[in-house]
Amino acid sequence: FGELVRQYRCMSCHQINGAGGDIANAPLTAEGSKVRESWLAGYLKLPTTVRPILEERMIQLQMPDEQRAFIASFVENVLRDDRIPEEIFQKAPPPEEVERGRKLFHERYGCQACHMIGGKGGYYGPLLDGAGQRLKTGWIYSWLKGPQRWRADAREPDYGLDDADARALTAYVASIPPLTAARPGGNRP
């Protein structure tokens, strides 16, 4: 892993345990507790925009499949934080909890002022289309319970969510489907 980090100069932009650059605004120290291994492997092949407001973008590294798989596996198994639970929901979240989270997201907390879903909403925070395929529910829940605990300069408001609201918001965010490409003629699938 260390050889690949040096080869691809990952720490020019990313930090691991406080060492490295912070251009990416995405320290990798606990990345294995945050993102899904399959998503990371795909992201390393074709990086996409997660936070549209940031000018900096992950570059395409033209990394062989074996290296991408190795890095994703290493991150999944080593770059972890034991304070972050693996998953809050072992199966799909209950529909009533998803609906409660949707109402909290859109009506009570106004999350869409900063987060975009389906091309609508703010672009300051990360895009949430397909968030459940990218992020582990344990990370979403932990972040919502206290964003500044994980990154002191986080602009995400700390609403002091109780467990039930954090769980419902996690259920909703994890259930947001990926944005699908428009079909010829402008129809969505």
Side-chain angles (χ1 to χ4, degrees):
F1 178 77
E3 288 177 23
L4 292 174
V5 165
R6 281 187 291 284
Q7 177 183 341
Y8 290 107
R9 302 190 61 200
C10 303
M11 293 180 71
S12 296
C13 298
H14 295 279
Q15 289 184 0
I16 298 176
N17 294 324
D22 198 24
I23 293 170
N25 201 16
L28 302 178
T29 304
E31 195 71 1
S33 295
K34 299 174 185 179
V35 301
R36 299 188 183 284
E37 182 177 351
S38 59
W39 176 84
L40 180 57
Y43 181 81
L44 290 172
K45 184 173 187 169
L46 183 62
T48 57
T49 299
V50 176
R51 293 208 39 216
I53 198 168
L54 297 179
E55 291 179 21
E56 296 80 13
R57 297 284 183 252
M58 175 76 173
I59 60 172
Q60 287 190 352
L61 298 170
Q62 306 300 319
M63 192 181 289
D65 291 343
E66 317 76 60
Q67 290 180 347
R68 287 187 305 102
F70 176 80
I71 288 173
S73 176
F74 184 92
V75 168
E76 169 73 21
N77 292 293
V78 178
L79 297 181
R80 304 187 57 80
D81 187 322
D82 292 337
R83 299 172 295 169
I84 302 169
E86 184 71 15
E87 296 290 347
I88 298 299
F89 303 99
Q90 297 308 316
K91 298 185 254 177
E96 61 277 2
E97 205 157 8
V98 171
E99 178 57 21
R100 183 170 176 275
R102 186 194 66 74
K103 288 179 180 176
L104 291 170
F105 186 94
H106 293 283
E107 298 170 16
R108 182 167 182 189
Y109 295 114
C111 304
Q112 206 158 359
C114 292
H115 295 280
M116 194 177 294
I117 299 172
K120 296 178 183 170
Y123 58 91
Y124 183 81
L127 301 170
L128 294 181
D129 297 301
Q133 292 178 358
R134 180 174 81 242
L135 301 171
K136 296 177 180 180
T137 57
W139 169 245
I140 298 169
Y141 177 85
S142 297
W143 177 264
L144 291 170
K145 289 290 287 181
Q148 289 72 27
R149 176 175 61 172
W150 305 106
R151 185 148 178 117
D153 62 350
R155 299 241 174 125
E156 175 95 20
D158 185 349
Y159 289 111
L161 298 175
D162 63 24
D163 292 344
D165 281 3
R167 188 177 159 90
L169 282 165
T170 299
Y172 174 64
V173 169
S175 73
I176 299 169
L179 188 61
T180 55
R183 291 183 179 173
N187 296 331
R188 291 202 162 253

